[in-house]
Amino acid sequence: MKITAISNPKVQYWLTLKKPDVRKEGRLFLLEGEKLIKEAHALNLIETLIYYETLPTALAQVKEIYQVDYKVISKLSSLTSAPNLIAVCKIPDYQVKYPEVILALDGVQDPGNGGSIMRSALGFGVKHLLLSETSFDPYNDKFIRATMGAFFKVNVERLNLVSKLIELKKAGYKIITTSALGNTQIKTAIVKEKLVIVLGAEGQGISSEINALSDFEINIKINPELESLNVSAAAAILLYEIMKIRGVSYD
Amino acid sequence: MKITAISNPKVQYWLTLKKPDVRKEGRLFLLEGEKLIKEAHALNLIETLIYYETLPTALAQVKEIYQVDYKVISKLSSLTSAPNLIAVCKIPDYQVKYPEVILALDGVQDPGNGGSIMRSALGFGVKHLLLSETSFDPYNDKFIRATMGAFFKVNVERLNLVSKLIELKKAGYKIITTSALGNTQIKTAIVKEKLVIVLGAEGQGISSEINALSDFEINIKINPELESLNVSAAAAILLYEIMKIRGVSYD
């Protein structure tokens, strides 16, 4: 039952998963790359496996498997050189206990920056990422690629960030924001509190509603010749510094 | 003398400046954006100014000025929505005294990361960037855009990095590299030495020739679940930490 036509209804359905609204509605997305697909399989998230040439034995138990020809896999893939495997993958439900430190992004739109930020978060032990609805879609292929394998190791939720921050404050979290006007030094904030570190888009910064929730406005002092750091650079510095102060160490 | 045809020899010549080899040979590149063009003008770097609708009075003294129609400016521009101004700009000759701290990139190919790194460098007061010949072209429009205005505030040279590092070592500079195998803590290295901080491409890391020149191999310890930080995240952390230890402060 090799599928050879792009007009095949299955293929047409899979292609709809390139649209953010369809992904959100169906809680499904397309995942490329054998390593990530195996990670998703271990988490029981693979719904359908689509392959072109070879089916890895480790994935042979997936319940829906289709072989397709090169034309079809190329059309499904977002890469210039199509992979052997693509999966229809479930968007995880995170019914987790929130960790002590959470990272949140408000209005960050570039998925490349997003991927770099998720890597820095994992690198310094922060495993939960909240995204405002004005931020990039975390099931976008560019983001997934930019995470370079961090993707399934950090929980990610895209939601009404203001409501979530209010809820987390009630649960005892302190909100840290960055601001060129702030005068809190990183150190004074942050030893034992439960924290949400919120970063905004360069240029606009953090929305006023979220600013009003901030407990600590941190200013990473920079040369006045520069307007602002790239958001992923600011994230890296904050995560590194805060987690070091909290004694999280990978020595 | 409004130019309306893409076939016009001037336009054809300007278009050749989209090619890295032509830029390098002629030491000229295309620059977009009024703010950057004004900065270049102040540095006496503008050779030709090309405008579509209005000529800013501050730029009226440029010796070669051409008006073109929308079709022509669109063709010259790398933006989806063409700007009013484009300039043919000279590549600066840096006959500078090297500063105390220099940043070098070995084989970093992504111009977006490059732009973020140049911003972090300027942000923490490091104003000279060396690029290996295997790194991105700093006169590439994506890079210039990603620097968000830091472009003319940081010197950038693309050259044989190994030879330059040997020369700088002779002049008393210490070479700092990062490595997952290194065990120098950032602090122990770096108080008063003249420094070159060298960062390599993710994945490959730094070339073995450059590794052999390293005086301090610094390891930014990360969660073993992550393979490596994004190079611009690593750059941000190193620049922030090293310049703080050296007492460079923007308070």
Side-chain angles (χ1 to χ4, degrees):
Chain A
M1 56 190 297
K2 187 168 173 177
I3 299 177
T4 58
I6 287 166
S7 61
N8 180 295
K10 287 274 177 205
V11 178
Q12 288 297 310
Y13 163 66
W14 297 331
L15 286 171
T16 64
L17 296 174
K18 291 185 179 265
K19 296 180 191 157
D21 291 354
V22 177
R23 289 197 290 262
K24 196 176 166 187
E25 182 67 28
R27 297 197 63 76
L28 292 169
F29 66 105
L30 292 179
L31 182 65
E32 308 192 41
E34 184 163 333
K35 199 170 157 238
L36 279 177
I37 291 174
K38 283 181 176 163
E39 285 178 23
H41 183 54
L43 296 167
N44 212 10
L45 294 172
I46 301 296
E47 182 129 321
T48 308
L49 190 66
I50 303 154
Y51 73 101
Y52 157 53
E53 273 185 317
T54 53
L55 178 64
T57 48
L59 295 169
Q61 318 92 305
V62 170
K63 79 185 163 211
E64 263 194 71
I65 299 179
Y66 296 92
Q67 189 173 15
V68 301
D69 75 3
Y70 188 73
K71 187 172 76 246
V72 173
I73 201 109
S74 298
K75 186 82 181 174
L76 291 169
S77 173
S78 62
L79 301 168
T80 42
S81 150
N84 175 50
L85 287 179
I86 291 182
V88 176
C89 183
K90 286 178 230 168
I91 291 181
D93 267 318
Y94 294 113
Q95 293 167 328
V96 294
K97 191 175 168 302
Y98 282 105
E100 293 279 304
V101 182
I102 297 168
L103 183 65
L105 302 178
D106 181 33
V108 172
Q109 289 176 347
D110 183 79
N113 277 335
S116 169
I117 291 170
M118 187 185 262
R119 286 164 69 188
S120 294
L122 179 63
F124 299 111
V126 174
K127 294 190 169 184
H128 205 99
L129 179 62
L130 300 175
L131 301 175
S132 70
E133 281 158 344
T134 52
S135 293
F136 61 85
D137 179 342
Y139 299 98
N140 165 302
D141 57 278
K142 286 203 194 79
F143 171 69
I144 297 174
R145 230 169 13 246
T147 67
M148 301 278 277
F151 187 67
F152 285 114
K153 295 173 185 154
V154 177
N155 295 338
V156 54
E157 291 182 293
R158 190 157 176 273
L159 39 64
N160 183 320
L161 188 55
V162 175
S163 309
K164 180 55 80 176
L165 291 178
I166 291 170
E167 180 192 319
L168 288 167
K169 269 177 89 94
K170 283 187 191 148
Y173 281 83
K174 299 289 183 189
I175 311 293
I176 292 192
T177 55
T178 58
S179 158
L181 304 172
N183 48 20
T184 309
Q185 298 267 349
I186 294 184
K187 261 182 210 171
T188 37
I190 325 155
V191 185
K192 283 187 175 167
E193 314 275 10
K194 290 194 282 183
L195 293 181
V196 188
I197 304 165
V198 188
L199 288 157
E202 303 154 43
Q204 300 117 277
I206 283 166
S207 69
S208 56
E209 282 163 297
I210 289 176
N211 248 334
L213 297 171
S214 177
D215 296 293
F216 303 106
E217 282 187 61
I218 287 183
N219 184 354
I220 303 174
K221 296 270 164 75
I222 54 170
N223 182 346
E225 289 179 82
L226 184 75
E227 228 165 89
S228 70
L229 294 170
N230 173 289
V231 62
S232 76
I237 292 167
L238 276 180
L239 289 162
Y240 165 81
E241 189 75 334
I242 290 174
M243 297 315 272
K244 195 174 65 173
I245 292 168
R246 293 174 71 94
V248 173
S249 161
Y250 296 101
D251 284 353
Chain B
M1 59 192 290
K2 187 168 171 178
I3 299 177
T4 58
I6 287 166
S7 61
N8 180 295
K10 286 275 176 206
V11 179
Q12 287 297 311
Y13 163 66
W14 297 331
L15 286 170
T16 64
L17 296 174
K18 290 185 179 265
K19 295 180 192 157
D21 290 354
V22 178
R23 290 197 290 261
K24 195 177 167 186
E25 182 67 28
R27 298 197 62 74
L28 292 169
F29 66 105
L30 292 179
L31 182 65
E32 308 192 41
E34 186 165 332
K35 199 170 158 235
L36 278 177
I37 290 175
K38 283 180 175 163
E39 285 179 22
H41 183 55
L43 297 168
N44 212 10
L45 294 172
I46 301 297
E47 182 128 322
T48 308
L49 190 65
I50 302 154
Y51 74 100
Y52 157 53
E53 274 184 316
T54 54
L55 178 64
T57 49
L59 295 169
Q61 317 94 305
V62 170
K63 79 183 165 214
E64 263 193 72
I65 299 180
Y66 296 93
Q67 189 175 15
V68 300
D69 74 1
Y70 188 74
K71 188 173 76 245
V72 173
I73 201 109
S74 298
K75 186 81 180 176
L76 292 168
S77 173
S78 62
L79 301 169
T80 42
S81 149
N84 175 50
L85 288 177
I86 292 181
V88 176
C89 184
K90 287 178 228 166
I91 290 181
D93 266 320
Y94 296 111
Q95 292 167 330
V96 294
K97 190 173 169 303
Y98 282 105
E100 294 278 303
V101 181
I102 296 167
L103 182 65
L105 302 180
D106 182 31
V108 172
Q109 290 176 347
D110 183 79
N113 277 335
S116 168
I117 290 170
M118 186 185 263
R119 287 165 70 189
S120 294
L122 179 62
F124 299 112
V126 174
K127 294 189 169 185
H128 206 98
L129 179 62
L130 300 174
L131 300 176
S132 70
E133 282 158 343
T134 52
S135 293
F136 61 86
D137 179 343
Y139 299 99
N140 165 302
D141 58 278
K142 286 203 194 80
F143 171 68
I144 297 174
R145 231 171 12 248
T147 67
M148 302 276 277
F151 187 67
F152 286 113
K153 295 172 186 155
V154 178
N155 294 337
V156 54
E157 292 182 293
R158 190 156 176 274
L159 39 63
N160 183 320
L161 188 56
V162 174
S163 309
K164 180 56 76 177
L165 291 178
I166 290 170
E167 181 193 318
L168 288 167
K169 269 178 88 94
K170 282 186 190 148
Y173 280 82
K174 300 289 183 188
I175 312 294
I176 292 193
T177 54
T178 57
S179 157
L181 303 172
N183 48 21
T184 309
Q185 299 267 349
I186 294 184
K187 261 181 214 174
T188 38
I190 323 156
V191 185
K192 284 187 173 166
E193 313 276 12
K194 290 194 282 184
L195 293 182
V196 189
I197 304 165
V198 189
L199 287 158
E202 303 153 42
Q204 298 116 279
I206 283 165
S207 69
S208 57
E209 283 163 298
I210 290 176
N211 248 335
L213 298 170
S214 176
D215 296 293
F216 302 106
E217 283 187 60
I218 286 183
N219 183 354
I220 303 174
K221 297 271 164 78
I222 54 170
N223 182 344
E225 288 178 82
L226 184 76
E227 228 165 89
S228 70
L229 293 170
N230 173 288
V231 63
S232 76
I237 292 167
L238 275 180
L239 289 162
Y240 164 81
E241 189 76 335
I242 290 175
M243 297 314 274
K244 195 174 63 173
I245 293 169
R246 294 173 72 94
V248 174
S249 161
Y250 296 100
D251 285 351

